[in-house]
Amino acid sequence: MERTPGRRSAVPSIRDVARLAGVSHQTVSRVLNDHPSIRPETKQRVLDAIAVLDYRPNLAARALVTSRSNVIGVMSATIGEFGPASSIATIEEAARVEGYSVTTVNLPDTTPEAIGAAVRQLVREQIAGIVVLAPQVRVFHVLRGMAIDVPFVSLQTASGATGESLAADQVEGARLATAHLIELGHRDIVHLAGPQDWIEAESRMRGYLDALLDADLPTIAPIRGDWTADFGHFAGVELARRGDFTAVFAANDLMAIGLMHGFRDAGLDVPGHVSVVGFDDIPVAKHVWPPLTTVHQDFAELGRRAVELLLAGIRGEEPPRFGQLQPELLVRDSSAAPWRS
């Protein structure tokens, strides 16, 4: 490789090296961290580009200046849930490939005191940046008022949120779910919503309402749930007494599965008497009976994007621009045309 003649640019970045070598900046990072998965010819191209550009990552100097180790902090208020757990697993793997380790702090609750304590704990551990998996609006209100001197990324989008944000298109996913029921012929559709203050719950309710508005259909007051199968079962038994609907869109799969159990206990057949659609596509959704129609979102890709975005902030690079991940409706046996007596 030869340096292109002309005016010398500013100090070269890892992306300059990537362009010259014809690889991604993640590959350059792996070469710098001596990752074993890199092919020898690719490694040599990157090393040649580094030599041509005189690129000097100088990680040791950065550590001295910032007093931060190669550790990413994860702050999670969603212990045990499938989506966040999937994202955290991917965050750990993507960070490891880039030469970083991950430390996770689980919030016992989302009070300002708990959030502040979690952030201070991570800062004491000299983390380089933080990924926030806390989908309650109040979390971002607290974070906005804190002086956090490291980059951070959130896996939800909230009004007034600080830092960089990533999200799947929750509104579109809920619109797809509700529109599917409308296309089957349902006109009286109940929404089993998530709890107040949760970003996903509000977004999914909005998608449900948008679909009804687009179809010029009346709305039925949503039922506020708590994400659990137990609440879904309770709601199913109670709804079965009403009989003023033919379908339910539940804001997550666990509530949808409990809902179907409740309907069965009350003598209603799914989808013979009532159709049910969930959201998230948890692994068990396709194995319950009937298999659950649901909305799939790529939690693993959200985790990968979070690491890429956070590392750009840590390295002082231009952040990548991601659009919202688009959800996919998976039609299974729990939804069908409305039953006619």
Side-chain angles (χ1 to χ4, degrees):
M1 295 183 181
E2 296 182 0
R3 186 188 296 274
T4 303
R7 180 173 58 86
R8 181 181 176 89
S9 63
V11 175
S13 71
I14 193 171
R15 293 183 185 273
D16 295 324
V17 174
R19 278 192 292 270
L20 184 57
V23 299
S24 68
H25 70 275
Q26 293 98 328
T27 298
V28 176
S29 178
R30 293 181 187 116
V31 171
L32 292 171
N33 289 295
D34 199 26
H35 195 275
S37 68
I38 303 298
R39 294 197 301 267
E41 59 270 26
T42 302
K43 181 177 182 179
Q44 191 57 53
R45 289 210 315 274
V46 171
L47 292 175
D48 289 345
I50 289 172
V52 168
L53 294 174
D54 194 25
Y55 171 68
R56 298 178 182 179
N58 201 10
L59 297 177
R62 184 186 70 177
L64 288 173
V65 171
T66 64
S67 297
R68 304 195 194 283
S69 61
N70 283 5
V71 178
I72 290 173
V74 173
M75 185 172 71
S76 176
T78 52
I79 301 171
E81 294 181 17
F82 168 72
S86 300
S87 294
I88 290 173
T90 308
I91 287 168
E92 291 173 345
E93 173 60 19
R96 184 188 64 78
V97 168
E98 297 289 347
Y100 285 76
S101 60
V102 173
T103 183
T104 301
V105 173
N106 291 311
L107 291 171
D109 53 58
T110 54
T111 61
E113 294 76 16
I115 297 166
V119 170
R120 287 190 293 273
Q121 179 180 336
L122 290 172
V123 171
R124 282 196 301 270
E125 295 184 22
Q126 299 184 333
I127 43 88
I130 303 174
V131 179
V132 180
L133 290 90
Q136 297 91 343
V137 174
R138 61 182 173 274
V139 173
F140 295 98
H141 290 166
V142 175
L143 291 175
R144 185 173 54 185
M146 298 183 68
I148 302 175
D149 63 349
V150 297
F152 74 92
V153 171
S154 73
L155 290 193
Q156 288 80 26
T157 302
S159 176
T162 54
E164 297 282 355
S165 297
L166 293 166
D169 193 337
Q170 309 283 317
V171 175
E172 175 62 12
R175 193 198 65 77
L176 287 173
T178 309
H180 165 67
L181 292 169
I182 294 170
E183 289 164 5
L184 287 172
H186 294 278
R187 295 295 177 264
D188 300 301
I189 304 168
V190 172
H191 180 44
L192 181 53
Q196 286 185 334
D197 193 52
W198 284 66
I199 297 163
E200 291 101 330
E202 299 306 316
S203 297
R204 294 172 194 180
M205 185 185 298
R206 178 181 155 198
Y208 158 78
L209 294 172
D210 285 352
L212 292 181
L213 181 63
D214 290 344
D216 196 25
L217 291 177
T219 60
I220 300 174
I223 300 169
R224 286 283 186 181
D226 63 3
W227 299 127
T228 67
D230 283 344
F231 186 89
H233 181 272
F234 168 79
V237 172
E238 292 299 311
L239 281 170
R241 298 171 180 165
R242 289 173 32 177
D244 59 349
F245 64 98
T246 61
V248 181
F249 163 48
N252 77 334
D253 288 346
L254 284 177
M255 289 196 298
I257 291 168
L259 186 75
M260 293 195 296
H261 184 191
F263 284 150
R264 185 186 66 189
D265 284 352
L268 293 183
D269 178 69
V270 176
H273 296 119
V274 58
S275 288
V276 175
V277 177
F279 202 111
D280 284 336
D281 189 29
I282 63 176
V284 74
K286 61 185 176 183
H287 299 296
V288 297
W289 189 258
L292 180 64
T293 296
T294 187
V295 176
H296 173 82
Q297 50 182 339
D298 194 340
F299 296 109
E301 179 60 21
L302 279 173
R304 285 188 287 269
R305 290 184 177 189
V307 172
E308 186 173 349
L309 187 58
L310 185 63
L311 292 185
I314 291 169
R315 293 163 176 161
E317 299 169 356
E318 185 70 21
R321 297 299 174 191
F322 297 120
Q324 285 188 313
L325 282 172
Q326 292 305 301
E328 177 187 4
L329 179 69
L330 301 179
V331 179
R332 299 186 179 122
D333 295 344
S334 69
S335 57
W339 176 73
R340 305 294 182 189
S341 58

